[in-house]
């Protein structure tokens, strides 16, 4: 058995046009596995073509400071992360960064891809002068909470509720998210 290889078989790189198809497939499957019960039929109602269009735009022409990264196993995209800047609250403070999304294909989880994506995202935010990282975690997402906790992030008691569809009785289904953060 060879201990070292000439080339790495895992990596993180900036997303490029064409990655959006893999990103959508990973996002939908990860959401289905992690949040299927909580989100109900909302996942089945997603418009995959519209999602691909939105990810294609985010990759090809992102707003200033926004970035999309992908994790690869060989040449296969197996995860992605998306980050955005958070403006400083006053002229004397540093800006922050927001982890908008971080998902790994369920078949490739526990392989270090999420950690590599998070580390790369933090490196890019630091390069842009950010001094903290923020993200949101759905109620009941213990796997994400454990991952983020292990990486040094923690909840800050800020909660938001988001509409996620309509219940059979016609009322709006809502989900709760908790904000997590860390200095970087």
């Amino acid at each position: 058995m060879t201990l070292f290889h000439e080339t790495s078989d895992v990596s993180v790189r900036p997303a490029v046009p064409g990655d959006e198809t893999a990103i959508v497939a990973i996002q939908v499957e990860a959401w289905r596995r992690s949040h299927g019960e909580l989100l109900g039929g909302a996942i089945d109602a997603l418009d995959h073509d519209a999602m691909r269009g939105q990810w294609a735009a985010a990759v090809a022409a992102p707003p200033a400071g926004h970035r999309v990264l992908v994790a690869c196993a060989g040449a296969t995209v197996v995860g992605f992360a998306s980050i955005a800047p958070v403006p400083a609250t006053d002229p004397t403070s540093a800006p922050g960064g927001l982890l908008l999304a971080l998902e790994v294909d369920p078949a490739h989880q526990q392989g270090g891809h999420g950690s590599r994506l998070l580390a790369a995202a933090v490196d890019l935010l630091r390069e842009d002068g950010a001094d903290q990282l923020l993200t949101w975690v759905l109620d009941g997402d213990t796997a994400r909470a454990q991952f983020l906790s292990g990486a040094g992030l923690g909840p800050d008691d800020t909660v938001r509720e988001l509409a996620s569809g309509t219940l059979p009785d016609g009322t709006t289904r809502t989900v709760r998210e908790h904000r997590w953060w860390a200095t970087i």
Side-chain angles (χ1 to χ4, degrees), residues 4-100:
F4 298 102
H5 299 276
E6 292 282 328
T7 59
S8 175
D9 61 349
V10 293
S11 61
V12 171
R13 64 168 171 77
V16 296
D19 286 340
E20 63 274 1
T21 299
I23 290 171
V24 170
I26 291 164
Q27 187 171 38
V28 170
E29 185 58 23
W31 284 358
R32 187 177 313 283
R33 293 223 183 163
S34 297
H35 313 300
E37 188 174 310
L38 179 65
L39 297 177
I43 293 174
D44 295 329
L46 292 171
D47 181 340
H48 294 208
D49 290 334
M51 291 174 70
R52 273 190 293 279
Q54 290 170 340
W55 280 113
V59 168
H66 289 66
R67 298 197 176 110
V68 179
L69 304 169
V70 294
C72 298
T76 304
V77 173
V78 298
F80 70 95
S82 176
I83 56 174
V86 175
T89 55
D90 64 67
T92 63
S93 64
L98 179 62
L99 181 65
L100 297 166

Side-chain angles (χ1 to χ4, degrees), residues 10 12 71 104 108-119 147:
V10 293
V12 171
V104 175
H108 292 274
Q109 290 177 354
Q110 303 297 314
H113 299 293
S115 296
R116 279 187 287 280
L117 283 164
L118 183 58
F147 169 75

